[in-house]
Amino acid sequence: TLRSSHGNTIIGAVSLLDTSGALLQTVLTDAEGNYLISEISPGNYTIKFQANNFQTLIQGVIVAANANSGIDAVLKPSPGGVI
C-alpha cells in the first residue's frame, strides 16, 4: 500500500528494477493505494515508489520462490509541493 506521511492513500507509480537498474515493470496504485506486481522470478530487486508532489522512495527487496511479498511505502511530501 502506498500512503502519505499523514496516513492518506496515494495514487502513484510503483516500478520494479533489476540489480543493474533496468526497468522490469511499472504499475499504478488503485484509489486505496494498493498495487500488484506479478510473475517475478526469485532474486534481488529495487522497487521505486513515485507520486506527484511527493518525494520518490527507493528500496531493495528480496523476492523468495513461491511467496507473496507485501511492501508498504510511506512517501513524504516534496518540499514546496502541494498536497
Side-chain angles (χ1 to χ4, degrees):
T1 305
L2 187 57
R3 295 188 179 280
S4 73
S5 56
H6 300 292
N8 301 320
T9 58
I10 300 172
I11 296 175
V14 181
S15 299
L16 185 72
L17 300 95
D18 66 17
T19 54
S20 69
L23 179 64
L24 301 174
Q25 288 188 49
T26 297
V27 298
L28 296 177
T29 62
D30 62 18
E32 287 79 40
N34 299 313
Y35 66 94
L36 176 65
I37 298 175
S38 59
E39 300 181 24
I40 306 166
S41 299
N44 295 318
Y45 297 91
T46 299
I47 192 164
K48 180 168 44 172
F49 299 92
Q50 298 174 288
N52 289 336
N53 298 314
F54 289 90
Q55 296 177 21
T56 297
L57 175 64
I58 300 172
Q59 66 184 55
V61 61
I62 299 171
V63 175
N66 302 315
N68 292 325
S69 299
I71 301 173
D72 294 330
V74 176
L75 300 185
K76 296 177 183 176
S78 292
V82 177
I83 29 178

